[in-house]
Amino acid sequence: MQPSNEPSFRESVDIMFNRAVALMDLPPGLEEKIRVCNATYTVRFGVRLRGKIQTFTGYRSVHSEHMEPVKGGIRYSLGVNQDEVEALAALMTYKCALVEAPFGGSKGGLCIDPRDYDEHELELITRRFAYELIKRDMINPAQNVPAPDMGTGEREMAWIADQYKRMNTTDINGVACVTGKPTNAGGIQGRTEATGRGVQYALQAFFKDEKGMEKAGLSGTLQDKRVVVQGLGNVGYHAAKFLSEEDGCKITAIIERDGALFDDAGLDVESVHQWIAKHGTITGYPNSKMEAKGAKLLEAECDILIPAALEGVINLSNAARIKAPLIIEAANGPVTAGADEILREKGTVIIPDMYANAGGVTVSYFEWVKNLSHIRFGRMQRRQEEARHQLVVDELERLDRYLGDAWSMSPDFKKKYLRGAGELELVRSGLDDTMSTAYQSMAEVWHGRDDVSDLRTAAYLVSINKVAASYKAKGL
Ligand code: GLU
């Protein structure tokens, strides 16, 4: 799909990194130290399936250990290769630095199409891959903590956590060896939808930035903005659902691997999602028009384009025809370095991946902290908070009686105010705060420096500065 004159994903990330460091004044050698990937481990292992041994190839790449543990997902896809995991591991370093999650960057992958195996076979494969990584400390709560990525989810994370516990029976922090687990197996509420929720919060932060909106030629609120989403997987689905149901956006097209659905009046995300879950395809979906060449819809007239699937989908072959004034990179690396240059020249504003999809790792951070502290967030404070709120409500009720018809409490104030924050509310508030603080730090550089014309360079500057500061503090 990507033209052959395009650099590889890894090279693309390096080009973007180099553009940013050219504007910095790093000590000699440090730039190279930050850019390179520290280590990539390749493992080939056999699993007996359907009467014969099948060999699988997996990777775990560690980009930077300026902070430990290192963090990043494990993906299951036939497209997995060393170049890809290294690019993704590098993005994890910058992503964690930008949102101040105290981790280095890592990424793993298994070259497999999970749809070719049943659940039991996937469990055997996952446990064997985890075994290979655990015995080399490449999965470990203090050193390297994976999470879900494309093709994996809570189920795989639960198997990995269990495998670790079997191999480290006395490690009291064992459950923190992986994040994105189901809530009944040490997970945290709000992790599954975290990346999509983060995309929503990122857009909300952008829409509050007057200068940014002006640069994109946009005005008003998210209400009725036309949005094209590519990929209705975990990230695309949740982002599109929240944006349409809570912010009033119109999802005018959904692009999937087998075509695209489109409707100017707005698609019902939940009903498309259910259709795909039932039929495994968008084909036949009754309530909208369909275009077989789905990628064409990337070029549709819209206000916001959300690539939430693969890397490299906006490249030299289509960048010039993209009409959206604002692209938010919900996937990792969806815009190649070449396309990035074309779009920058056209004035398209791109909210970069390392910020836009950082909601996942942010909530992973909360889950890891919860696991290490061995207590659910809010468990100690909730009742006490509710008791203090009750005092205020009692006083207001007294006033209410005293003032008679002149004043009364608004109907659901009491219900809302009395409820102390539970885990989900705390996770959401932590995520919202993280996304808005990180946006401010990028925007300050973007609007404040004449030599920085785009948000991606601004994001790199902020994160590289943080990584450099941490190396300096270590005496490197
Ligand atoms: N796979 C996700 C990402 O690319 C999440 C990583 C994590 O939570 O560690 O950001």
Side-chain angles (χ1 to χ4, degrees):
M1 182 196 338
Q2 226 170 291
S4 54
N5 54 343
E6 201 101 48
S8 74
F9 187 11
R10 171 80 246 206
E11 286 160 351
S12 233
V13 172
D14 283 352
I15 292 169
M16 292 167 178
F17 173 92
N18 290 341
R19 283 191 66 234
V21 283
L23 306 173
M24 297 173 76
D25 193 19
L26 292 179
L30 186 55
E31 165 186 330
E32 167 84 353
K33 173 69 207 82
I34 296 175
R35 189 176 49 75
V36 297
C37 216
N38 289 4
T40 302
Y41 175 69
T42 308
V43 55
R44 294 185 187 86
F45 58 91
V47 182
R48 182 176 287 280
L49 298 171
R50 303 172 202 175
K52 69 171 183 90
I53 293 178
Q54 286 193 35
T55 304
F56 297 91
T57 305
Y59 304 88
R60 187 78 182 158
S61 175
V62 175
H63 174 259
S64 176
E65 290 145 298
H66 66 290
M67 281 198 185
E68 283 186 314
V70 292
K71 191 92 191 71
I74 289 184
R75 84 169 39 176
Y76 285 1
S77 144
L78 286 177
V80 164
N81 57 53
Q82 180 168 347
D83 187 276
E84 185 192 60
V85 285
E86 290 190 353
L88 292 166
L91 283 174
M92 283 310 302
T93 296
Y94 309 129
K95 194 185 297 189
C96 291
L98 186 65
V99 295
E100 299 189 335
F103 303 127
S106 182
K107 200 79 174 202
L110 191 60
C111 196
I112 161 190
D113 183 347
R115 289 170 303 178
D116 292 345
Y117 302 91
D118 67 27
E119 186 163 15
H120 176 63
E121 292 170 330
L122 278 174
E123 179 172 354
L124 290 177
I125 299 165
T126 303
R127 285 188 182 271
R128 183 58 207 268
F129 183 31
Y131 169 83
E132 295 295 333
L133 297 177
I134 294 164
K135 73 175 180 191
R136 292 171 177 86
D137 282 337
M138 295 184 105
I139 296 179
N140 179 303
Q143 268 171 264
N144 197 324
V145 182
D149 201 80
M150 201 184 287
T152 58
E154 327 192 296
R155 182 183 63 175
E156 286 73 15
M157 301 307 116
W159 291 331
I160 294 174
D162 186 64
Q163 187 64 30
Y164 182 90
K165 286 297 278 177
R166 288 186 190 190
M167 294 166 70
N168 299 273
T169 48
T170 56
D171 185 347
I172 195 172
N173 293 321
V175 73
C177 74
V178 66
T179 57
K181 301 175 292 288
T183 40
N184 60 10
I188 194 166
Q189 289 184 53
R191 174 62 185 87
T192 308
E193 66 270 31
T195 313
R197 188 57 85 192
V199 171
Q200 177 196 25
Y201 290 161
L203 275 174
Q204 289 173 353
F206 180 83
F207 270 68
K208 282 188 202 132
D209 173 10
E210 274 173 33
K211 285 190 190 151
M213 289 282 284
E214 207 175 293
K215 286 180 186 173
L218 286 167
S219 59
T221 65
L222 280 163
Q223 183 71 38
D224 289 330
K225 291 287 178 293
R226 297 161 304 164
V227 178
V228 172
V229 185
Q230 186 200 32
L232 212 62
N234 179 39
V235 181
Y237 160 61
H238 283 111
K241 180 179 165 69
F242 299 145
L243 286 167
S244 57
E245 290 176 6
E246 297 172 18
D247 297 285
C249 288
K250 271 199 237 161
I251 310 298
T252 51
I254 292 175
I255 309 169
E256 266 285 315
R257 72 183 94 211
D258 45 359
L261 301 173
F262 61 101
D263 185 349
D264 285 347
L267 293 155
D268 179 342
V269 177
E270 195 49 54
S271 114
V272 176
H273 181 69
Q274 278 171 20
W275 180 271
I276 298 175
K278 192 157 168 218
H279 301 90
T281 170
I282 52 165
T283 309
Y285 179 71
N287 310 325
S288 80
K289 288 171 263 181
M290 175 154 173
E291 163 61 58
K293 288 198 179 94
K296 265 183 153 175
L297 269 295
L298 288 170
E299 300 162 21
E301 287 278 357
C302 64
D303 299 303
I304 305 167
L305 174 59
I306 312 185
L310 286 172
E311 53 259 17
V313 292
I314 299 172
N315 50 50
L316 292 178
S317 76
N318 59 2
R321 293 193 302 274
I322 301 284
K323 294 182 197 70
L326 177 65
I327 299 176
I328 173 156
E329 297 181 329
N332 285 305
V335 176
T336 64
D340 190 62
E341 197 175 325
I342 296 173
L343 291 164
R344 252 185 290 121
E345 271 161 26
K346 270 175 36 144
T348 310
V349 171
I350 302 178
I351 305 181
D353 46 9
M354 75 175 77
Y355 166 68
N357 67 38
V361 76
T362 302
V363 178
S364 275
Y365 170 39
F366 302 154
E367 180 176 334
W368 181 72
V369 170
K370 172 187 175 181
N371 292 155
L372 294 180
S373 58
H374 300 268
I375 189 163
R376 166 168 51 79
F377 288 115
R379 181 164 173 184
M380 300 288 277
Q381 310 92 317
R382 187 170 178 160
R383 295 291 295 176
Q384 199 253 2
E385 198 186 320
E386 284 176 359
R388 285 168 67 87
H389 286 187
Q390 185 68 54
L391 287 178
V392 177
V393 167
D394 288 348
E395 278 306 289
L396 286 174
E397 274 178 340
R398 211 163 57 83
L399 195 65
D400 199 345
R401 282 193 299 274
Y402 176 71
L403 290 175
D405 289 343
W407 181 85
S408 66
M409 248 187 282
S410 10
D412 54 350
F413 166 80
K414 187 169 157 183
K415 203 172 102 223
K416 280 194 192 149
Y417 189 65
L418 275 182
R419 237 179 92 230
E423 186 172 80
L424 186 59
E425 279 118 324
L426 291 169
V427 163
R428 281 199 194 151
S429 109
L431 177 60
D432 197 355
D433 185 58
T434 303
M435 295 308 290
S436 88
T437 309
Y439 186 83
Q440 297 312 325
S441 65
M442 283 188 310
E444 236 168 69
V445 177
W446 185 31
H447 303 317
R449 279 179 66 154
D450 293 340
D451 53 354
V452 176
S453 62
D454 64 308
L455 265 173
R456 191 189 313 279
T457 307
Y460 268 106
L461 284 175
V462 174
S463 60
I464 297 169
N465 257 323
K466 289 193 175 147
V467 178
S470 141
Y471 273 120
K472 272 185 217 149
K474 280 182 162 180
L476 242 178

